[in-house]
PDB file of all heavy atoms in Angstrom:
ATOM      1  N   HIS E 149      28.606  11.298  22.989  1.00  0.00           N
ATOM      2  CA  HIS E 149      27.874  12.557  23.205  1.00  0.00           C
ATOM      3  C   HIS E 149      28.206  13.627  22.201  1.00  0.00           C
ATOM      4  O   HIS E 149      28.049  14.816  22.459  1.00  0.00           O
ATOM      5  CB  HIS E 149      28.142  13.081  24.630  1.00  0.00           C
ATOM      6  CG  HIS E 149      27.610  12.149  25.695  1.00  0.00           C
ATOM      7  ND1 HIS E 149      26.311  12.081  26.033  1.00  0.00           N
ATOM      8  CD2 HIS E 149      28.272  11.268  26.483  1.00  0.00           C
ATOM      9  CE1 HIS E 149      26.097  11.179  26.970  1.00  0.00           C
ATOM     10  NE2 HIS E 149      27.293  10.672  27.281  1.00  0.00           N
ATOM     11  N   ARG E 150      28.627  13.210  21.001  1.00  0.00           N
ATOM     12  CA  ARG E 150      28.951  14.142  19.952  1.00  0.00           C
ATOM     13  C   ARG E 150      27.750  15.087  19.618  1.00  0.00           C
ATOM     14  O   ARG E 150      27.879  16.231  19.266  1.00  0.00           O
ATOM     15  CB  ARG E 150      29.412  13.420  18.723  1.00  0.00           C
ATOM     16  CG  ARG E 150      29.739  14.243  17.506  1.00  0.00           C
ATOM     17  CD  ARG E 150      31.072  14.884  17.602  1.00  0.00           C
ATOM     18  NE  ARG E 150      31.429  15.692  16.454  1.00  0.00           N
ATOM     19  CZ  ARG E 150      31.943  15.220  15.297  1.00  0.00           C
ATOM     20  NH1 ARG E 150      32.224  13.898  15.224  1.00  0.00           N
ATOM     21  NH2 ARG E 150      32.174  16.009  14.291  1.00  0.00           N
ATOM     22  N   GLY E 151      26.511  14.537  19.687  1.00  0.00           N
ATOM     23  CA  GLY E 151      25.358  15.305  19.353  1.00  0.00           C
ATOM     24  C   GLY E 151      24.895  16.275  20.445  1.00  0.00           C
ATOM     25  O   GLY E 151      23.965  17.050  20.259  1.00  0.00           O
ATOM     26  N   ARG E 152      25.552  16.234  21.632  1.00  0.00           N
ATOM     27  CA  ARG E 152      25.305  17.181  22.706  1.00  0.00           C
ATOM     28  C   ARG E 152      23.890  17.128  23.161  1.00  0.00           C
ATOM     29  O   ARG E 152      23.319  18.168  23.653  1.00  0.00           O
ATOM     30  CB  ARG E 152      25.717  18.600  22.350  1.00  0.00           C
ATOM     31  CG  ARG E 152      27.098  18.740  21.716  1.00  0.00           C
ATOM     32  CD  ARG E 152      27.437  20.171  21.426  1.00  0.00           C
ATOM     33  NE  ARG E 152      27.884  20.859  22.610  1.00  0.00           N
ATOM     34  CZ  ARG E 152      29.139  20.821  23.085  1.00  0.00           C
ATOM     35  NH1 ARG E 152      30.121  20.147  22.421  1.00  0.00           N
ATOM     36  NH2 ARG E 152      29.486  21.479  24.171  1.00  0.00           N
ATOM     37  N   SER E 153      23.235  16.021  23.041  1.00  0.00           N
ATOM     38  CA  SER E 153      21.819  15.893  23.447  1.00  0.00           C
ATOM     39  C   SER E 153      21.700  15.523  24.964  1.00  0.00           C
ATOM     40  O   SER E 153      22.457  14.730  25.415  1.00  0.00           O
ATOM     41  CB  SER E 153      21.133  14.805  22.610  1.00  0.00           C
ATOM     42  OG  SER E 153      19.871  14.534  23.160  1.00  0.00           O
ATOM     43  N   ALA E 154      20.759  16.190  25.588  1.00  0.00           N
ATOM     44  CA  ALA E 154      20.534  15.951  26.996  1.00  0.00           C
ATOM     45  C   ALA E 154      19.692  14.699  27.196  1.00  0.00           C
ATOM     46  O   ALA E 154      19.611  14.173  28.322  1.00  0.00           O
ATOM     47  CB  ALA E 154      19.869  17.119  27.676  1.00  0.00           C
ATOM     48  N   THR E 155      19.073  14.225  26.136  1.00  0.00           N
ATOM     49  CA  THR E 155      18.172  13.055  26.262  1.00  0.00           C
ATOM     50  C   THR E 155      18.718  11.743  25.706  1.00  0.00           C
ATOM     51  O   THR E 155      18.308  10.701  26.138  1.00  0.00           O
ATOM     52  CB  THR E 155      16.791  13.368  25.521  1.00  0.00           C
ATOM     53  OG1 THR E 155      17.107  13.643  24.181  1.00  0.00           O
ATOM     54  CG2 THR E 155      16.131  14.569  26.196  1.00  0.00           C
ATOM     55  N   ALA E 156      19.644  11.817  24.747  1.00  0.00           N
ATOM     56  CA  ALA E 156      20.232  10.586  24.201  1.00  0.00           C
ATOM     57  C   ALA E 156      21.240   9.974  25.160  1.00  0.00           C
ATOM     58  O   ALA E 156      22.310  10.501  25.375  1.00  0.00           O
ATOM     59  CB  ALA E 156      20.913  10.921  22.835  1.00  0.00           C
ATOM     60  N   LYS E 157      20.822   8.905  25.805  1.00  0.00           N
ATOM     61  CA  LYS E 157      21.645   8.237  26.797  1.00  0.00           C
ATOM     62  C   LYS E 157      21.797   6.747  26.450  1.00  0.00           C
ATOM     63  O   LYS E 157      21.031   5.934  27.058  1.00  0.00           O
ATOM     64  CB  LYS E 157      21.112   8.433  28.176  1.00  0.00           C
ATOM     65  CG  LYS E 157      21.024   9.882  28.591  1.00  0.00           C
ATOM     66  CD  LYS E 157      20.411  10.055  29.989  1.00  0.00           C
ATOM     67  CE  LYS E 157      20.325  11.519  30.379  1.00  0.00           C
ATOM     68  NZ  LYS E 157      19.707  11.668  31.727  1.00  0.00           N
ATOM     69  N   PRO E 158      22.616   6.390  25.509  1.00  0.00           N
ATOM     70  CA  PRO E 158      22.635   4.953  25.094  1.00  0.00           C
ATOM     71  C   PRO E 158      23.198   4.026  26.154  1.00  0.00           C
ATOM     72  O   PRO E 158      22.886   2.880  26.197  1.00  0.00           O
ATOM     73  CB  PRO E 158      23.554   4.995  23.870  1.00  0.00           C
ATOM     74  CG  PRO E 158      24.419   6.199  24.029  1.00  0.00           C
ATOM     75  CD  PRO E 158      23.518   7.238  24.718  1.00  0.00           C
ATOM     76  N   ASN E 159      24.139   4.520  27.027  1.00  0.00           N
ATOM     77  CA  ASN E 159      24.782   3.713  28.063  1.00  0.00           C
ATOM     78  C   ASN E 159      25.255   2.367  27.592  1.00  0.00           C
ATOM     79  O   ASN E 159      24.783   1.310  28.043  1.00  0.00           O
ATOM     80  CB  ASN E 159      23.811   3.530  29.245  1.00  0.00           C
ATOM     81  CG  ASN E 159      23.504   4.834  29.944  1.00  0.00           C
ATOM     82  OD1 ASN E 159      24.286   5.741  29.898  1.00  0.00           O
ATOM     83  ND2 ASN E 159      22.328   4.916  30.624  1.00  0.00           N
ATOM     84  N   PRO E 160      26.159   2.314  26.596  1.00  0.00           N
ATOM     85  CA  PRO E 160      26.604   0.995  26.082  1.00  0.00           C
ATOM     86  C   PRO E 160      27.458   0.255  27.091  1.00  0.00           C
ATOM     87  O   PRO E 160      27.985   0.820  28.071  1.00  0.00           O
ATOM     88  CB  PRO E 160      27.472   1.457  24.851  1.00  0.00           C
ATOM     89  CG  PRO E 160      27.990   2.788  25.227  1.00  0.00           C
ATOM     90  CD  PRO E 160      26.854   3.468  25.985  1.00  0.00           C
ATOM     91  N   MET E 161      27.533  -1.037  26.877  1.00  0.00           N
ATOM     92  CA  MET E 161      28.350  -1.930  27.708  1.00  0.00           C
ATOM     93  C   MET E 161      29.686  -2.146  27.037  1.00  0.00           C
ATOM     94  O   MET E 161      29.753  -2.383  25.833  1.00  0.00           O
ATOM     95  CB  MET E 161      27.660  -3.233  28.005  1.00  0.00           C
ATOM     96  CG  MET E 161      26.313  -3.105  28.627  1.00  0.00           C
ATOM     97  SD  MET E 161      26.405  -2.447  30.298  1.00  0.00           S
ATOM     98  CE  MET E 161      27.326  -3.681  31.114  1.00  0.00           C
ATOM     99  N   LEU E 162      30.769  -2.001  27.792  1.00  0.00           N
ATOM    100  CA  LEU E 162      32.095  -2.157  27.257  1.00  0.00           C
ATOM    101  C   LEU E 162      32.844  -3.271  27.949  1.00  0.00           C
ATOM    102  O   LEU E 162      32.778  -3.374  29.155  1.00  0.00           O
ATOM    103  CB  LEU E 162      32.876  -0.807  27.428  1.00  0.00           C
ATOM    104  CG  LEU E 162      34.316  -0.789  26.870  1.00  0.00           C
ATOM    105  CD1 LEU E 162      34.236  -0.880  25.340  1.00  0.00           C
ATOM    106  CD2 LEU E 162      34.997   0.512  27.288  1.00  0.00           C
ATOM    107  N   SER E 163      33.498  -4.113  27.142  1.00  0.00           N
ATOM    108  CA  SER E 163      34.382  -5.117  27.688  1.00  0.00           C
ATOM    109  C   SER E 163      35.739  -5.017  27.090  1.00  0.00           C
ATOM    110  O   SER E 163      35.882  -4.560  25.934  1.00  0.00           O
ATOM    111  CB  SER E 163      33.767  -6.551  27.468  1.00  0.00           C
ATOM    112  OG  SER E 163      33.595  -6.823  26.101  1.00  0.00           O
ATOM    113  N   ALA E 164      36.745  -5.481  27.785  1.00  0.00           N
ATOM    114  CA  ALA E 164      38.080  -5.329  27.290  1.00  0.00           C
ATOM    115  C   ALA E 164      38.883  -6.639  27.533  1.00  0.00           C
ATOM    116  O   ALA E 164      38.748  -7.284  28.567  1.00  0.00           O
ATOM    117  CB  ALA E 164      38.791  -4.221  27.980  1.00  0.00           C
ATOM    118  N   ASP E 165      39.705  -6.946  26.520  1.00  0.00           N
ATOM    119  CA  ASP E 165      40.656  -8.079  26.642  1.00  0.00           C
ATOM    120  C   ASP E 165      41.998  -7.603  26.056  1.00  0.00           C
ATOM    121  O   ASP E 165      42.163  -7.667  24.829  1.00  0.00           O
ATOM    122  CB  ASP E 165      40.052  -9.287  25.859  1.00  0.00           C
ATOM    123  CG  ASP E 165      41.012 -10.489  26.055  1.00  0.00           C
ATOM    124  OD1 ASP E 165      41.910 -10.467  26.878  1.00  0.00           O
ATOM    125  OD2 ASP E 165      40.823 -11.451  25.280  1.00  0.00           O
ATOM    126  N   GLU E 166      42.820  -7.141  26.949  1.00  0.00           N
ATOM    127  CA  GLU E 166      44.121  -6.522  26.525  1.00  0.00           C
ATOM    128  C   GLU E 166      43.829  -5.421  25.572  1.00  0.00           C
ATOM    129  O   GLU E 166      43.148  -4.446  25.907  1.00  0.00           O
ATOM    130  CB  GLU E 166      45.078  -7.548  25.971  1.00  0.00           C
ATOM    131  CG  GLU E 166      45.744  -8.367  27.049  1.00  0.00           C
ATOM    132  CD  GLU E 166      46.436  -7.571  28.118  1.00  0.00           C
ATOM    133  OE1 GLU E 166      47.164  -6.610  27.746  1.00  0.00           O
ATOM    134  OE2 GLU E 166      46.323  -7.846  29.328  1.00  0.00           O
ATOM    135  N   ASN E 167      44.226  -5.491  24.326  1.00  0.00           N
ATOM    136  CA  ASN E 167      44.058  -4.422  23.341  1.00  0.00           C
ATOM    137  C   ASN E 167      42.841  -4.603  22.450  1.00  0.00           C
ATOM    138  O   ASN E 167      42.760  -3.988  21.367  1.00  0.00           O
ATOM    139  CB  ASN E 167      45.309  -4.264  22.491  1.00  0.00           C
ATOM    140  CG  ASN E 167      46.464  -3.740  23.322  1.00  0.00           C
ATOM    141  OD1 ASN E 167      46.287  -2.955  24.212  1.00  0.00           O
ATOM    142  ND2 ASN E 167      47.680  -4.140  23.001  1.00  0.00           N
ATOM    143  N   ALA E 168      41.876  -5.388  22.872  1.00  0.00           N
ATOM    144  CA  ALA E 168      40.660  -5.574  22.122  1.00  0.00           C
ATOM    145  C   ALA E 168      39.447  -5.103  22.945  1.00  0.00           C
ATOM    146  O   ALA E 168      39.293  -5.481  24.113  1.00  0.00           O
ATOM    147  CB  ALA E 168      40.494  -7.079  21.706  1.00  0.00           C
ATOM    148  N   LEU E 169      38.646  -4.246  22.342  1.00  0.00           N
ATOM    149  CA  LEU E 169      37.448  -3.692  23.007  1.00  0.00           C
ATOM    150  C   LEU E 169      36.171  -4.127  22.253  1.00  0.00           C
ATOM    151  O   LEU E 169      36.209  -4.198  21.023  1.00  0.00           O
ATOM    152  CB  LEU E 169      37.509  -2.171  23.025  1.00  0.00           C
ATOM    153  CG  LEU E 169      38.521  -1.487  23.937  1.00  0.00           C
ATOM    154  CD1 LEU E 169      38.522  -0.010  23.665  1.00  0.00           C
ATOM    155  CD2 LEU E 169      38.202  -1.788  25.398  1.00  0.00           C
ATOM    156  N   SER E 170      35.130  -4.401  23.039  1.00  0.00           N
ATOM    157  CA  SER E 170      33.826  -4.683  22.477  1.00  0.00           C
ATOM    158  C   SER E 170      32.821  -3.730  23.092  1.00  0.00           C
ATOM    159  O   SER E 170      32.641  -3.728  24.316  1.00  0.00           O
ATOM    160  CB  SER E 170      33.482  -6.132  22.706  1.00  0.00           C
ATOM    161  OG  SER E 170      32.178  -6.427  22.211  1.00  0.00           O
ATOM    162  N   LEU E 171      32.154  -2.963  22.245  1.00  0.00           N
ATOM    163  CA  LEU E 171      31.190  -1.963  22.728  1.00  0.00           C
ATOM    164  C   LEU E 171      29.760  -2.400  22.255  1.00  0.00           C
ATOM    165  O   LEU E 171      29.521  -2.528  21.101  1.00  0.00           O
ATOM    166  CB  LEU E 171      31.501  -0.572  22.089  1.00  0.00           C
ATOM    167  CG  LEU E 171      30.842   0.652  22.661  1.00  0.00           C
ATOM    168  CD1 LEU E 171      31.176   0.861  24.138  1.00  0.00           C
ATOM    169  CD2 LEU E 171      31.271   1.878  21.901  1.00  0.00           C
ATOM    170  N   CYS E 172      28.892  -2.626  23.208  1.00  0.00           N
ATOM    171  CA  CYS E 172      27.542  -3.163  22.939  1.00  0.00           C
ATOM    172  C   CYS E 172      26.462  -2.134  23.284  1.00  0.00           C
ATOM    173  O   CYS E 172      26.336  -1.732  24.429  1.00  0.00           O
ATOM    174  CB  CYS E 172      27.296  -4.452  23.727  1.00  0.00           C
ATOM    175  SG  CYS E 172      25.669  -5.165  23.512  1.00  0.00           S
ATOM    176  N   PHE E 173      25.726  -1.733  22.270  1.00  0.00           N
ATOM    177  CA  PHE E 173      24.699  -0.712  22.427  1.00  0.00           C
ATOM    178  C   PHE E 173      23.349  -1.425  22.627  1.00  0.00           C
ATOM    179  O   PHE E 173      23.142  -2.566  22.242  1.00  0.00           O
ATOM    180  CB  PHE E 173      24.601   0.236  21.249  1.00  0.00           C
ATOM    181  CG  PHE E 173      25.753   1.175  21.149  1.00  0.00           C
ATOM    182  CD1 PHE E 173      26.916   0.803  20.515  1.00  0.00           C
ATOM    183  CD2 PHE E 173      25.654   2.442  21.703  1.00  0.00           C
ATOM    184  CE1 PHE E 173      27.958   1.713  20.425  1.00  0.00           C
ATOM    185  CE2 PHE E 173      26.708   3.345  21.657  1.00  0.00           C
ATOM    186  CZ  PHE E 173      27.896   2.935  21.022  1.00  0.00           C
ATOM    187  N   PRO E 174      22.308  -0.749  23.165  1.00  0.00           N
ATOM    188  CA  PRO E 174      20.957  -1.330  23.273  1.00  0.00           C
ATOM    189  C   PRO E 174      20.471  -1.703  21.883  1.00  0.00           C
ATOM    190  O   PRO E 174      20.835  -1.129  20.856  1.00  0.00           O
ATOM    191  CB  PRO E 174      20.134  -0.219  23.855  1.00  0.00           C
ATOM    192  CG  PRO E 174      21.109   0.637  24.582  1.00  0.00           C
ATOM    193  CD  PRO E 174      22.362   0.582  23.807  1.00  0.00           C
ATOM    194  N   ASP E 175      19.577  -2.727  21.851  1.00  0.00           N
ATOM    195  CA  ASP E 175      19.028  -3.176  20.598  1.00  0.00           C
ATOM    196  C   ASP E 175      18.390  -2.052  19.823  1.00  0.00           C
ATOM    197  O   ASP E 175      17.639  -1.278  20.279  1.00  0.00           O
ATOM    198  CB  ASP E 175      17.971  -4.233  20.855  1.00  0.00           C
ATOM    199  CG  ASP E 175      18.555  -5.552  21.345  1.00  0.00           C
ATOM    200  OD1 ASP E 175      19.746  -5.732  21.180  1.00  0.00           O
ATOM    201  OD2 ASP E 175      17.812  -6.382  21.883  1.00  0.00           O
ATOM    202  N   GLY E 176      18.828  -1.958  18.523  1.00  0.00           N
ATOM    203  CA  GLY E 176      18.267  -0.972  17.619  1.00  0.00           C
ATOM    204  C   GLY E 176      18.834   0.423  17.706  1.00  0.00           C
ATOM    205  O   GLY E 176      18.523   1.292  16.866  1.00  0.00           O
ATOM    206  N   TRP E 177      19.701   0.644  18.684  1.00  0.00           N
ATOM    207  CA  TRP E 177      20.164   2.033  18.880  1.00  0.00           C
ATOM    208  C   TRP E 177      21.045   2.458  17.729  1.00  0.00           C
ATOM    209  O   TRP E 177      20.864   3.571  17.142  1.00  0.00           O
ATOM    210  CB  TRP E 177      20.966   2.142  20.187  1.00  0.00           C
ATOM    211  CG  TRP E 177      21.264   3.599  20.533  1.00  0.00           C
ATOM    212  CD1 TRP E 177      20.483   4.392  21.297  1.00  0.00           C
ATOM    213  CD2 TRP E 177      22.410   4.333  20.207  1.00  0.00           C
ATOM    214  NE1 TRP E 177      21.061   5.615  21.418  1.00  0.00           N
ATOM    215  CE2 TRP E 177      22.275   5.633  20.712  1.00  0.00           C
ATOM    216  CE3 TRP E 177      23.515   4.082  19.407  1.00  0.00           C
ATOM    217  CZ2 TRP E 177      23.186   6.678  20.570  1.00  0.00           C
ATOM    218  CZ3 TRP E 177      24.492   5.107  19.202  1.00  0.00           C
ATOM    219  CH2 TRP E 177      24.325   6.344  19.789  1.00  0.00           C
ATOM    220  N   LEU E 178      21.978   1.618  17.246  1.00  0.00           N
ATOM    221  CA  LEU E 178      22.846   2.004  16.161  1.00  0.00           C
ATOM    222  C   LEU E 178      22.079   2.162  14.829  1.00  0.00           C
ATOM    223  O   LEU E 178      22.359   3.039  14.010  1.00  0.00           O
ATOM    224  CB  LEU E 178      23.946   0.934  15.975  1.00  0.00           C
ATOM    225  CG  LEU E 178      25.029   0.994  17.017  1.00  0.00           C
ATOM    226  CD1 LEU E 178      25.950  -0.208  16.801  1.00  0.00           C
ATOM    227  CD2 LEU E 178      25.830   2.281  16.944  1.00  0.00           C
ATOM    228  N   ASN E 179      20.983   1.344  14.627  1.00  0.00           N
ATOM    229  CA  ASN E 179      20.196   1.489  13.426  1.00  0.00           C
ATOM    230  C   ASN E 179      19.445   2.843  13.383  1.00  0.00           C
ATOM    231  O   ASN E 179      19.244   3.412  12.371  1.00  0.00           O
ATOM    232  CB  ASN E 179      19.174   0.371  13.335  1.00  0.00           C
ATOM    233  CG  ASN E 179      19.799  -0.981  13.015  1.00  0.00           C
ATOM    234  OD1 ASN E 179      20.913  -1.011  12.419  1.00  0.00           O
ATOM    235  ND2 ASN E 179      19.197  -2.048  13.425  1.00  0.00           N
TER     236      ASN E 179
END
């Protein structure tokens, strides 16, 4: 939420395995 936008809601999925994290955004969001 760095952009402080009220409309940008990516809601990524996060998974964790001890000290490893995987953050998955909706298709095309990062582009």
Side-chain angles (χ1 to χ4, degrees):
H149 293 284
R150 178 79 179 274
R152 312 183 78 87
S153 170
T155 58
K157 300 178 180 179
N159 295 335
M161 300 298 294
L162 182 66
S163 59
D165 182 11
E166 284 303 317
N167 290 328
L169 289 174
S170 178
L171 193 62
C172 178
F173 289 87
D175 290 342
W177 192 89
L178 285 174
N179 290 334

